[in-house]
Amino acid sequence: MASILDEYEDSLHRSASLQQSRASVGIPHSGYVNARLEKETPIFNKQRIDFAPPEKINSLVVSSNQLCMSLGKDTILRIDLGKPDEPNQVELGRKDEARVYKMFLDHTGSHLLIALNTSECLYLNRSVQKVRALSRWKGHLIESVGWNKFLGSETNTGPILVGTSQGQIYEAEISVSEGSLFSTNPDQYFRQVYTLEEESGPAPVCCLEIERGIEGKFFIIATTRKRLFQFVGKVPEGTEQQGFSSIFAMHADHLPSFREFPANLGFSEIAFYTPKLRSNPRSFAWMMGNGVLYGTLDYSRPDSILSDERVWVYPSDIDITVNKPISIVLTQFHFLLLLPDRVKAVCTLNGQVVFQDLFLEKFGLLTCMIKDPTVQQIWIHTEKVVFRYHVQRESRDVWKMYMNMNKFDLAKEYCKDRPECLDIVLAKEAEHCFQNKRYLDSAKCYALTQNYFEEIALKFIEAKQEEALMEFLIKKLSNLKPSEKTQTTLLTTWLTELYLNWLGILEGDPSQRNLYLDTREKFRTFLSSPKNKDCLFNNRASIYELLASHGDTEHMVYFAVIMQDYERVVAHHCQHDEYDEALNVLSRHRDEKLFYKFSPVLIQHIPKKVVDAWISMGSRLDARNLIPALVNYSQSASTQQINEAIRYMEFCVYQLEETQQAIHNYLLSLYALCRPDSLLSYLEQAGTNPNRIHYDLKYALRLCAEHGHHHACVHIYKVMELYEEAVDLALQVDVDLAKSCADLPEDDEELRKKLWLKIARHVVQEEKDVKKAMACLSSCALLKIEDVLPFFPDFVTIDHFKEAICNSLEDYNKHIEELKREMEEATQSAKRIREDIQEMRNKYGSVEPQEKCAACDFPLLNRPFYLFLCGHMFHYDCLLQAVFPNLPAYKQAKLEDLQKKLAATSQPSKSHHRPKDADTISLGKGQQSREQIKADIDDIVAAECVYCGELMIRSIDKPFIDPQKYEEEMQSWL
């Protein structure tokens, strides 16, 4: 197997060169075909709005699908983008030369502030048609408004912040009265809270933004031309309506934290990106003189919300002295810069311009760009044209940028639905890790790519990174499909070889003990993995060869256990004299076949434990299959060890109640060999019924005879009903035993007498004991003194038999008297029977003319009839019809035969035609035969009354309808 793997590694080198040749002719290294059938739509898709303004557009704001624009000198046009065909026009009603300077629309699209170049400010609510002047705001040129997104509603702005061209920040609140169209003053209050300054003095407040963080903390961002200020503070819970004065008051004596840049556009603008409606912004972009300051917003920071800041300089074709940017808008991954004649989109990840849209001169100069944060649409206008940009799949190429920045996790996140891109990212990450010698991470990534397997494997082999190669193969194996069986087999076998090599190296280095244990655990996890089970099982022969070639018996046993190849495990333990371990494996897995195979070996070394294991298996083991092991063992073992064999056989016989003859015969042989005391008790417990005895009687007899166990032989003779042999053998042992045998043939008195005569002869002739011989006479009633006398010698005097002879004569007299008494009783009984017969002959019964048949209820005297002693009367044919179905089959056949004979005797002879009367008077032989036939028929039919006799009792459980005729009877009723 090792040579096969070596050949495979050589093939990797050849395959790698083949891949290079393929690459040279343009064969792709990925399994994906990245073909685009249609031209992909751009991220920023421009649409010109079909709108021709009657006057030039001065300003445009949009929020929550509500668009407001200033036209000419005195007109405000409001459009609900959900109902674009229903525009609303409001006149400012100004008679002076005042013009709209800027407009500000809140996040709900309900509150519109109109700043005039005359340092005045007007207010217009979405639900009304009349513009109201804010008297408290007069004298201030409004540059920016910070809306309150947390307390504002459609009728009330809540506390808001207002920035002026002189650097002052005011706090104000505007409310629409519920009772009338407006209250006396819509502006509830207007008070200064702070003044922003640069090094030269107060500077215009270009932008204001209010955000709320965690734990009631508020962040206020304010910008001037070169500085970005942050005001941070808590507003006590329940006092939010009182405004933000307390936050600014904290910085009355010292400047708040700020960012400052030297260059100056003359203004600045900040944009925010909010991923979801009613959520906090996640990032910001501040357009100022040196470029765009971009970063994220971290609300958990204590003093500054700005995080991960970086400055992206303007593209090279932007000269802030000639064509400085006008507006900025921020999306998830880009910020858009508005120039007088074009729009540029810069990626926030790498600062590269990814999109540029040049506008034709006929549209005029671009004046403003704004984004609706609720629907993520971007609006741009000139003095006479309005455009709208839709942002579509902005993240489509973000993965590539993250990949080039080596931010592979983010790259994979943005291409998880595009497998061809994900493969490129994984390959780049794998190569990056490889170059940075992070080989394990590289292997994990390579395993997920579609790169050529041989090329990657060769890289790790050349770098001598076996551990990384193993990781690569493991990951690759886990990604294979069940149908890829060849690849699975190759990787599994190769990984086994690598693990064994690695374990061999680590095992010899004591300093690497922990690593060795960890690697061993990984190898065992690999071998026991459910996913690899089928492959390992199908190729277990190769794995065994690999394990054997490395001499790793420990893992060979472990692998055999996983494969449930317990035969190999037990054989291994037996070969290494680990008999207890072998028995533990057998006991744990309870495989009957393995018990049969290895028991002959194990019982030679640990007999007691083996027998215990057999007993624990109970009826799952067939004791007949274990007898060869016990036979081999008992032939070479001592008596004490044979006891273990007897213990198991007794368990089978007495506990499991085995009836197999081989088991009982073997137990008999063990008893005969080592335990003669238990032999007779076993035989007696088995009983004397040959049909219920499970051992072979002839084998048992021969076995007991060979070992001289005469008592056992006598018992077996008795079971075999060989009583003469039993008595003959018992007389050699014990006369009393012979006597017990002589009484066994209870139904054969002749045999019993013969057996007792044998006992008497033995007593007289062999033992010469007259008294014992006389005792035999008293023990058996069949023996008489005259039967025993011939056995005695002539010199014996009569005195020894006097009592026995007298007893015999008395018995004869008693027998004669009993016979006389029986004869007298028999004579009296015969006399009574004769008298009963005579009485029966004279007995009669009378039948009245009106009597009817008990069966058919017709007159009785019309046909031959029967009269019973119980009083019931039946016609002959009615009685026959009632009795016949209930007779046994043989009587039915006999009755039919008698009827045929009777019919045959009733027919007149062909040669002699005599009248009927002459035939009835005739006393010939045929007439006697006819009378006998009638008598036989009467004995069958009229033996008893059909209503009062046993026939009625026997038919009590008989169904009224014959089951065989049930269906026919049912049909007859339909």
Side-chain angles (χ1 to χ4, degrees):
M1 181 56 66
S3 60
I4 295 175
L5 294 176
D6 292 338
E7 292 178 5
Y8 180 70
E9 291 184 8
D10 293 339
S11 70
L12 289 181
H13 291 274
R14 295 193 298 272
S15 179
S17 60
L18 177 62
Q19 309 312 328
Q20 293 173 0
S21 63
R22 287 179 177 175
S24 63
V25 295
I27 297 178
H29 70 281
S30 173
Y32 299 103
V33 178
N34 189 10
R36 295 182 179 178
L37 301 180
E38 298 180 2
K39 185 177 180 180
E40 205 167 31
T41 58
I43 296 175
F44 302 102
N45 188 22
K46 184 174 68 175
Q47 175 189 7
R48 180 179 175 180
I49 303 302
D50 186 13
F51 171 69
E55 300 180 75
K56 69 175 183 177
I57 302 172
N58 299 319
S59 180
L60 182 147
V61 289
V62 62
S63 181
S64 296
N65 250 5
Q66 302 296 318
L67 184 145
C68 301
M69 65 175 69
S70 169
L71 300 177
K73 174 185 175 182
D74 201 43
T75 302
I76 300 297
L77 182 64
R78 296 186 297 184
I79 301 175
D80 184 348
L81 297 177
K83 303 174 182 178
D85 297 333
E86 301 177 9
N88 176 257
Q89 186 171 312
V90 178
E91 300 296 332
L92 297 182
R94 302 289 296 195
K95 304 300 182 180
D96 53 11
E97 296 299 321
R99 294 182 177 276
V100 175
Y101 175 63
K102 283 185 178 181
M103 292 198 304
F104 308 95
L105 186 63
D106 79 317
H107 62 286
T108 65
S110 301
H111 307 283
L112 177 65
L113 291 174
I114 306 166
L116 303 178
N117 58 358
T118 58
S119 298
E120 294 179 81
C121 191
L122 306 178
Y123 172 74
L124 180 62
N125 190 276
R126 184 170 62 180
S127 60
V128 299
Q129 285 290 108
K130 186 176 180 181
V131 176
R132 296 289 295 176
L134 302 177
S135 59
R136 292 187 176 92
W137 297 39
K138 190 172 183 180
H140 302 284
L141 183 62
I142 307 303
E143 292 284 350
S144 58
V145 174
W147 296 104
N148 192 327
K149 295 178 284 188
F150 316 105
L151 295 177
S153 65
E154 293 185 358
T155 60
N156 189 289
T157 62
I160 61 174
L161 296 177
V162 180
T164 69
S165 60
Q166 301 301 316
Q168 295 98 355
I169 298 178
Y170 288 87
E171 185 179 75
E173 183 176 1
I174 301 174
S175 177
V176 178
S177 175
E178 297 181 359
S180 59
L181 186 60
F182 284 100
S183 62
T184 306
N185 290 311
D187 47 337
Q188 301 298 310
Y189 62 88
F190 189 77
R191 57 174 176 261
Q192 183 176 350
V193 293
Y194 202 81
T195 300
L196 297 183
E197 295 183 355
E198 293 179 352
E199 69 276 3
S200 59
V205 182
C206 299
C207 298
L208 282 170
E209 181 74 16
I210 304 171
E211 296 297 339
R212 182 168 61 186
I214 58 177
E215 298 179 354
K217 185 180 291 187
F218 281 84
F219 297 88
I220 299 173
I221 298 176
T223 66
T224 62
R225 293 166 297 187
K226 299 194 298 181
R227 290 184 178 180
L228 186 151
F229 295 88
Q230 291 185 79
F231 299 88
V232 182
K234 286 188 176 181
V235 175
E237 187 175 356
T239 63
E240 292 89 350
Q241 196 67 39
Q242 297 178 11
F244 308 103
S245 301
S246 59
I247 298 177
F248 289 100
M250 296 169 58
H251 302 279
D253 300 330
H254 61 277
L255 286 175
S257 62
F258 63 88
R259 303 284 190 277
E260 183 175 14
F261 294 90
N264 186 359
L265 292 174
F267 66 95
S268 71
E269 185 175 342
I270 191 169
F272 296 90
Y273 168 70
T274 304
K276 296 179 181 178
L277 188 65
R278 298 186 182 88
S279 64
N280 291 331
R282 296 293 177 84
S283 56
F284 73 97
W286 181 37
M287 183 182 71
M288 40 77 184
N290 291 78
V292 175
L293 176 65
Y294 174 79
T296 59
L297 301 177
D298 185 355
Y299 296 92
S300 63
R301 299 180 66 181
D303 300 324
S304 174
I305 194 174
L306 308 182
S307 178
D308 298 332
E309 303 168 51
R310 66 175 67 181
V311 176
W312 294 117
V313 298
Y314 295 118
S316 58
D317 59 341
I318 296 180
D319 184 357
I320 62 174
T321 61
V322 179
N323 59 339
K324 58 186 177 182
I326 302 170
S327 292
I328 186 171
V329 164
L330 181 63
T331 62
Q332 185 177 5
F333 297 105
H334 302 84
F335 59 82
L336 280 71
L337 296 175
L338 180 68
L339 299 171
D341 61 345
R342 71 193 63 191
V343 173
K344 286 181 178 289
V346 179
C347 179
T348 57
L349 300 178
N350 55 15
Q352 300 297 316
V353 177
V354 297
F355 172 79
Q356 178 171 278
D357 192 6
L358 186 64
F359 287 77
L360 300 176
E361 293 183 1
K362 66 178 182 178
F363 298 136
L365 297 177
L366 302 177
T367 58
C368 182
M369 176 173 62
I370 192 168
K371 184 179 75 170
D372 186 346
T374 59
V375 294
Q376 303 296 326
Q377 292 179 349
I378 301 170
W379 296 79
I380 298 175
H381 71 89
T382 65
E383 290 184 348
K384 52 185 176 181
V385 181
V386 179
F387 297 93
R388 179 171 57 190
Y389 282 97
H390 292 275
V391 182
Q392 298 179 337
R393 295 177 57 233
E394 185 182 2
S395 61
R396 67 182 71 171
D397 294 324
V398 169
W399 65 270
K400 192 181 300 182
M401 300 175 191
Y402 279 129
M403 180 185 70
N404 294 332
M405 297 164 61
N406 294 334
K407 294 183 178 180
F408 301 107
D409 290 338
L410 290 172
K412 287 183 282 189
E413 180 68 23
Y414 284 100
C415 63
K416 58 185 177 182
D417 297 330
R418 300 170 65 185
E420 72 281 359
C421 301
L422 181 60
D423 186 68
I424 297 173
V425 174
L426 288 169
K428 181 69 178 293
E429 182 181 8
E431 185 63 29
H432 174 77
C433 293
F434 191 91
Q435 291 175 358
N436 288 275
K437 298 185 178 181
R438 292 163 48 203
Y439 297 110
L440 287 177
D441 293 336
S442 176
K444 293 175 183 178
C445 293
Y446 268 132
L448 300 174
T449 66
Q450 297 295 320
N451 289 22
Y452 290 115
F453 171 82
E454 299 88 344
E455 179 183 346
I456 300 169
L458 191 59
K459 286 181 68 132
F460 290 115
I461 292 173
E462 291 175 347
K464 298 181 179 180
Q465 294 296 322
E466 283 198 3
E467 189 176 2
L469 176 60
M470 288 164 58
E471 185 67 28
F472 169 69
L473 296 179
I474 291 172
K475 293 294 183 183
K476 203 70 177 176
L477 179 63
S478 65
N479 294 331
L480 289 177
K481 299 176 182 177
S483 59
E484 298 173 316
K485 295 183 178 179
T486 304
Q487 295 88 331
T488 302
T489 301
L490 175 63
L491 293 182
T492 303
T493 311
W494 193 4
L495 275 168
T496 303
E497 172 73 10
L498 290 174
Y499 268 121
L500 292 173
N501 288 337
W502 189 237
L503 286 172
I505 294 171
L506 295 176
E507 189 175 13
D509 188 353
S511 63
Q512 300 290 332
R513 179 64 180 171
N514 291 335
L515 182 57
Y516 168 76
L517 294 176
D518 184 55
T519 306
R520 185 182 69 175
E521 188 61 30
K522 289 181 180 179
F523 181 43
R524 292 185 175 184
T525 303
F526 167 74
L527 291 177
S528 59
S529 171
K531 186 173 183 179
N532 303 332
K533 184 176 181 180
D534 291 341
C535 178
L536 289 170
F537 181 80
N538 295 331
N539 299 278
R540 58 188 183 279
S542 301
I543 303 299
Y544 281 132
E545 289 180 11
L546 276 175
L547 292 167
S549 66
H550 285 267
D552 194 342
T553 57
E554 178 185 2
H555 284 105
M556 182 181 292
V557 173
Y558 182 83
F559 179 68
V561 171
I562 293 173
M563 294 292 105
Q564 298 183 353
D565 189 0
Y566 302 117
E567 181 178 350
R568 187 183 294 269
V569 177
V570 177
H572 168 78
H573 288 310
C574 290
Q575 291 170 3
H576 292 79
D577 297 336
E578 298 171 352
Y579 302 110
D580 287 333
E581 290 295 329
L583 184 59
N584 288 337
V585 174
L586 289 176
S587 301
R588 189 162 54 249
H589 300 288
R590 306 173 74 83
D591 189 330
E592 299 89 348
K593 295 181 180 179
L594 294 183
F595 267 103
Y596 301 146
K597 181 171 183 177
F598 292 101
S599 288
V601 177
L602 296 176
I603 200 169
Q604 299 290 337
H605 300 89
I606 47 174
K608 185 178 185 306
K609 294 181 179 179
V610 171
V611 171
D612 289 339
W614 289 351
I615 291 175
S616 68
M617 288 288 289
S619 59
R620 293 184 61 179
L621 290 179
D622 188 348
R624 292 178 300 173
N625 295 329
L626 298 173
I627 289 177
L630 292 171
V631 170
N632 293 336
Y633 170 65
S634 61
Q635 289 177 353
S636 60
S638 64
T639 303
Q640 184 178 0
Q641 292 171 321
I642 291 177
N643 289 336
E644 295 299 329
I646 294 176
R647 182 162 68 96
Y648 180 65
M649 288 292 105
E650 287 179 339
F651 169 77
C652 294
V653 170
Y654 298 122
Q655 300 295 325
L656 300 182
E657 299 180 352
E658 285 284 355
T659 59
Q660 297 294 331
Q661 191 178 78
I663 297 172
H664 287 263
N665 286 346
Y666 183 58
L667 180 59
L668 258 176
S669 68
L670 293 176
Y671 280 150
L673 181 64
C674 297
R675 284 194 193 174
D677 296 339
S678 301
L679 175 60
L680 187 59
S681 63
Y682 165 77
L683 293 173
E684 291 175 348
Q685 188 173 351
T688 58
N689 187 347
N691 296 325
R692 296 184 179 180
I693 289 176
H694 305 302
Y695 58 85
D696 188 341
L697 290 169
K698 295 181 180 179
Y699 171 75
L701 181 62
R702 183 173 67 253
L703 190 66
C704 293
E706 288 178 358
H707 291 84
H709 302 311
H710 298 304
H711 278 82
C713 290
V714 170
H715 179 82
I716 296 171
Y717 276 134
K718 290 192 294 183
V719 175
M720 297 173 71
E721 298 183 354
L722 300 175
Y723 301 115
E724 291 188 45
E725 289 82 353
V727 171
D728 291 340
L729 184 58
L731 289 173
Q732 299 178 20
V733 180
D734 185 10
V735 174
D736 291 335
L737 180 61
K739 289 180 180 180
S740 66
C741 296
D743 282 332
L744 290 176
E746 297 176 354
D747 299 333
D748 192 344
E749 292 186 353
E750 183 179 353
L751 178 58
R752 285 174 59 202
K753 184 176 181 180
K754 182 179 180 182
L755 296 177
W756 276 104
L757 287 173
K758 283 190 174 189
I759 296 172
R761 178 183 296 163
H762 174 81
V763 172
V764 173
Q765 295 179 353
E766 299 297 332
E767 298 186 5
K768 302 185 187 308
D769 190 340
V770 178
K771 290 184 178 181
K772 189 179 286 189
M774 293 301 102
C776 289
L777 293 177
S778 61
S779 299
C780 179
L782 299 177
L783 289 183
K784 306 298 180 184
I785 186 63
E786 59 269 26
D787 298 326
V788 180
L789 285 176
F791 301 146
F792 289 96
D794 297 337
F795 55 83
V796 178
T797 62
I798 196 151
D799 294 339
H800 294 89
F801 312 111
K802 180 179 179 180
E803 184 179 354
I805 292 171
C806 293
N807 292 335
S808 179
L809 291 174
E810 289 178 1
D811 290 340
Y812 278 126
N813 288 332
K814 290 179 181 179
H815 184 58
I816 290 170
E817 291 298 327
E818 288 179 1
L819 288 176
K820 287 182 179 180
R821 187 169 60 255
E822 289 176 1
M823 290 174 64
E824 291 178 358
E825 290 176 357
T827 302
Q828 293 296 327
S829 177
K831 182 179 178 181
R832 287 194 297 272
I833 291 173
R834 283 194 296 270
E835 292 175 354
D836 291 341
I837 292 173
Q838 187 63 35
E839 184 180 355
M840 288 297 295
R841 285 177 178 174
N842 297 328
K843 195 166 186 177
Y844 65 92
S846 60
V847 178
E848 299 295 332
Q850 65 272 15
E851 293 288 349
K852 295 183 180 181
C853 174
C856 66
D857 205 31
F858 280 95
L860 185 68
L861 299 178
N862 290 347
R863 300 198 299 274
F865 63 89
Y866 288 98
L867 170 63
F868 291 95
L869 293 177
C870 60
H872 287 111
M873 293 169 279
F874 300 91
H875 289 129
Y876 165 76
D877 53 343
C878 293
L879 182 63
L880 179 64
Q881 185 178 1
V883 171
F884 186 82
N886 297 290
L887 293 174
Y890 75 93
K891 282 193 176 183
Q892 290 180 354
K894 183 177 179 180
L895 182 60
E896 290 177 351
D897 184 55
L898 290 172
Q899 287 177 327
K900 289 179 182 178
K901 289 180 180 180
L902 182 62
T905 58
S906 300
Q907 293 178 359
S909 175
K910 293 182 179 181
S911 58
H912 300 88
H913 298 279
R914 291 176 299 182
K916 185 175 180 181
D917 293 339
D919 185 56
T920 58
I921 298 172
S922 174
L923 299 175
K925 184 177 180 180
Q927 182 65 24
Q928 291 175 350
S929 176
R930 178 181 176 83
E931 292 299 327
Q932 183 64 41
I933 292 171
K934 285 184 176 181
D936 293 342
I937 291 175
D938 290 343
D939 290 342
I940 296 175
V941 176
E944 60 181 357
C945 175
V946 70
Y947 287 171
C948 303
E950 293 183 4
L951 183 63
M952 182 60 69
I953 297 173
R954 288 197 303 269
S955 65
I956 194 169
D957 59 346
K958 185 177 179 181
F960 292 109
I961 301 175
D962 188 348
Q964 297 180 352
K965 299 180 179 180
Y966 183 77
E967 292 294 332
E968 180 181 350
E969 187 69 21
M970 283 187 61
Q971 294 297 327
S972 67
W973 282 82
L974 297 178

